[in-house]
């Protein structure tokens, strides 16, 4: 028969070293403590009154010098309220804390209520006017009328050449592009541009990802020697990897437009005039290139300004397209039962792969090198090869002249035709706005520029512009 041994109290941890125990242990495996000799549990010392009994007095060996609350008589007088700042504070060594330290500790409940709104300080002009009103009141004078709210009042037309702030509509804009009244930075002129003529319209937008607009366009109308109207649209896209691409596109579009307006009234064939316009645009871009710092053969390569170009000339019977780079022109007939067409072939890596039969179009344009251009206007272009083409459409339609900021979101001719409004021939500006909006809704990853030119050129559009 097994002898009866005194069973130790079931414990989960050693009372001496807090080491975890297992059932049946008689001694602590860590410190050797005799688990059969368990000390009595400490007596409870409640700190608040419960069930009507008074708390026991604190132990005489307590190391904390607690403040003694003053006695209160048995009347109905409520106990006095003590704030934390009224009690002397000490650190762990018994040294009294500085007054500022224990006053700032904890949460303050005696702070004034925070306002629901924080009114903005009035601008300097308003403060000055308030002082004037106060001074006038002290002199018993009638104060001047307060300024009108620019959001609701009819503002006077600003002097010629003065730009008004787009935010407050009251302050003028300084030379650095900031409002002198509210300090709001103004949008740059080229961030969003629109132009409407009787026979052509164009819209250009910075997009949603770029910090500036590096596209440019020129639209105009003129007359051929026989009096027939001719409509011109030029669109250029600055090459972002080059220096000053915005200047390159602007110079190229202006030079090409001026060249066409000079050549067409003289009777130059529109296709020849387009070829000469592209050459003039190239010269304009070359002229703004920085000269090399040194002619030494070891001088670093100069990254010259560069851009692409695409243009259209529309007459009552002819449609002429010219281009260098990957900006495009599309034909979209008014009768959507007729097929649309792309009128240009890109100067790009993808187009070269397709032309050489090395890839199909889907594979080539899916490659990360697809949009690397192989032709551009600029001083460092390998060889300038202007492309021109002449068409004689047999039905009315519109020509869409655009940068890749648009056709990236409507690449195939059928895709472009789907997003061109049905009334594009009657409302070219609205159509250009819709197309730019389509690119922005698609992500706006690039600058986007589009010109919409109805064909045939309407007779009422004749005349220089």
């Amino acid at each position: 028969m097994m002898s009866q041994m005194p069973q130790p109290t079931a414990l989960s941890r050693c009372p001496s070293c807090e080491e975890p125990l297992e059932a049946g242990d008689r001694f602590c495996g860590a410190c050797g403590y005799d688990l059969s000799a368990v000390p009595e549990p400490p007596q409870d010392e409640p700190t608040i009154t419960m069930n009507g009994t008074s708390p026991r007095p604190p132990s005489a060996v307590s190391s904390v010098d607690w403040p003694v609350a003053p006695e209160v008589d048995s009347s109905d007088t409520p106990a006095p309220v003590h704030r934390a700042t009224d009690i002397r504070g000490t650190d762990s060594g018994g040294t009294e804390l500085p007054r500022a330290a224990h006053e700032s500790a904890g949460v303050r409940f005696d702070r004034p209520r925070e306002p629901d709104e924080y009114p903005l300080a009035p601008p300097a002009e308003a403060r000055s006017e308030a002082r004037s009103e106060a001074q006038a009141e002290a002199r018993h004078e009638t104060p001047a009328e307060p300024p009108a709210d620019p959001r609701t009042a009819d503002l006077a037309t600003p002097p010629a050449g003065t730009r008004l702030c787009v935010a407050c509509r009251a302050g003028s804009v300084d030379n650095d592009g900031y409002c002198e009244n509210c300090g709001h930075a103004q949008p740059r002129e080229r961030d969003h541009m629109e132009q409407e003529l009787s026979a052509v319209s164009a819209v250009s937008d910075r997009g949603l990802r770029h910090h500036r607009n590096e596209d440019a366009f020129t639209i105009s109308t003129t007359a051929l020697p026989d009096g027939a109207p001719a409509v011109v649209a030029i669109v250029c896209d600055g090459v972002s990897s080059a220096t000053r691409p915005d200047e390159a596109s602007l110079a190229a579009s202006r030079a090409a437009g001026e060249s066409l307006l000079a050549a067409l009234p003289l009777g130059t064939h529109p296709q020849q005039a387009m070829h000469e316009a592209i050459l003039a645009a190239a010269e304009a871009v070359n002229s703004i290139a920085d000269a090399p710092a040194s002619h030494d053969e070891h001088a670093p390569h100069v990254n010259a300004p560069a851009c692409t170009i695409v243009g259209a000339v529309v007459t009552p019977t002819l449609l002429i397209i010219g281009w260098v780079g990957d900006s495009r022109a599309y034909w979209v007939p008014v009768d959507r039962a007729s097929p649309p067409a792309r009128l240009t072939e890109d100067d790009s890596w993808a187009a070269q792969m397709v032309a050489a039969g090395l890839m199909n179009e889907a594979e080539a344009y899916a490659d990360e090198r697809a949009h690397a251009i192989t032709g551009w206007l600029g001083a460092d272009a390998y060889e300038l090869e202007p492309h021109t083409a002449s068409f004689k459409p047999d039905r009315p339609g519109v020509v869409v002249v655009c940068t890749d900021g648009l056709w990236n979101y409507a690449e195939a001719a059928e895709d472009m035709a789907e997003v061109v409004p049905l009334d594009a021939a009657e409302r070219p500006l609205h159509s250009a706005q819709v197309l730019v909006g389509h690119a922005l809704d698609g992500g706006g990853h690039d600058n986007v520029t589009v010109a919409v030119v109805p064909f045939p050129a309407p007779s009422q559009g004749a005349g220089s512009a």
Side-chain angles (χ1 to χ4, degrees), residues 22-368:
E22 296 182 1
D25 286 347
R26 301 178 184 177
F27 298 92
C28 175
C31 65
Y33 186 84
D34 185 1
L35 299 177
S36 61
V38 179
E40 295 182 2
Q43 295 182 353
D44 188 17
E45 297 285 349
T47 57
I48 58 174
T49 301
M50 297 182 65
N51 301 326
T53 61
S54 299
R56 300 180 182 181
S59 172
V61 298
S62 176
S63 61
V64 179
D65 185 14
W66 296 103
V68 180
E71 294 183 0
V72 183
D73 57 20
S74 58
S75 66
D76 294 334
T77 303
V81 176
H82 296 276
R83 296 176 179 172
T85 54
D86 298 332
I87 302 175
R88 178 177 60 87
T90 61
D91 60 17
S92 58
T95 305
E96 184 174 358
L97 294 173
R99 184 71 175 174
H102 63 264
E103 278 184 352
S104 62
V107 180
R108 292 284 302 276
F109 294 96
D110 57 344
R111 293 177 178 173
R113 183 177 178 271
E114 297 287 348
D116 294 332
E117 296 182 356
Y118 293 86
L120 297 177
E125 293 180 4
R127 293 196 298 268
S128 175
E129 184 175 352
R131 289 195 297 268
S132 299
E133 291 181 0
Q135 294 170 357
E137 185 178 356
R139 295 193 299 267
H140 304 287
E141 298 176 358
T142 302
E145 290 292 331
D149 188 340
R151 298 168 296 180
T152 57
D154 293 330
L155 300 176
T157 302
T162 302
R163 291 177 57 197
L164 278 184
C165 173
V166 299
C168 70
R169 302 300 300 170
S172 58
V173 179
D174 61 21
N175 294 332
D176 294 329
Y178 291 87
C179 176
E180 295 178 340
N181 177 52
C182 68
H184 191 93
Q186 306 300 297
R188 287 166 293 193
E189 182 180 1
R190 289 180 64 177
D191 282 357
H192 185 86
M193 300 178 291
E194 297 186 2
Q195 187 177 359
E196 180 181 26
L197 301 179
S198 58
V200 58
S201 295
V203 176
S204 181
D205 193 272
R206 182 185 65 174
L208 304 179
R209 303 294 181 89
H210 283 238
H211 69 284
R212 65 179 176 184
N213 190 358
E214 297 170 355
D215 289 355
F217 68 82
T218 294
I219 58 174
S220 57
T221 60
T222 187
L224 302 177
D226 61 357
V231 183
V232 174
I234 302 293
V235 169
C236 295
D237 183 357
V239 178
S240 296
S241 59
T243 58
R244 295 150 53 204
D246 54 329
E247 297 181 28
S249 62
L250 185 61
S253 63
R254 288 177 174 175
E258 292 170 359
S259 177
L260 286 166
L261 290 181
L264 292 173
L266 298 178
T268 307
H269 189 281
Q271 190 166 356
Q272 178 63 31
M274 178 63 75
H275 181 91
E276 295 174 356
I278 295 176
L279 295 179
E283 291 180 4
V285 176
N286 293 348
S287 67
I288 65 173
D290 291 328
S294 171
H295 295 287
D296 184 80
E297 61 179 359
H298 299 295
H301 174 68
V302 176
N303 193 2
C307 69
T308 67
I309 186 171
V310 61
V313 174
V314 172
T315 73
T317 58
L318 277 180
L319 165 58
I320 308 298
I321 303 295
W323 74 96
V324 173
D326 63 348
S327 293
R328 293 181 177 180
Y330 291 83
W331 164 255
V332 179
V334 171
D335 179 9
R336 298 303 170 88
S338 301
R342 197 177 95 193
L343 307 178
T344 57
E345 291 293 336
D346 299 343
D347 289 320
S348 68
W349 181 91
Q352 284 191 344
M353 294 298 104
V354 174
L358 300 177
M359 290 183 176
N360 61 41
E361 190 167 351
E363 293 172 341
Y365 282 96
D367 194 283
E368 61 181 6

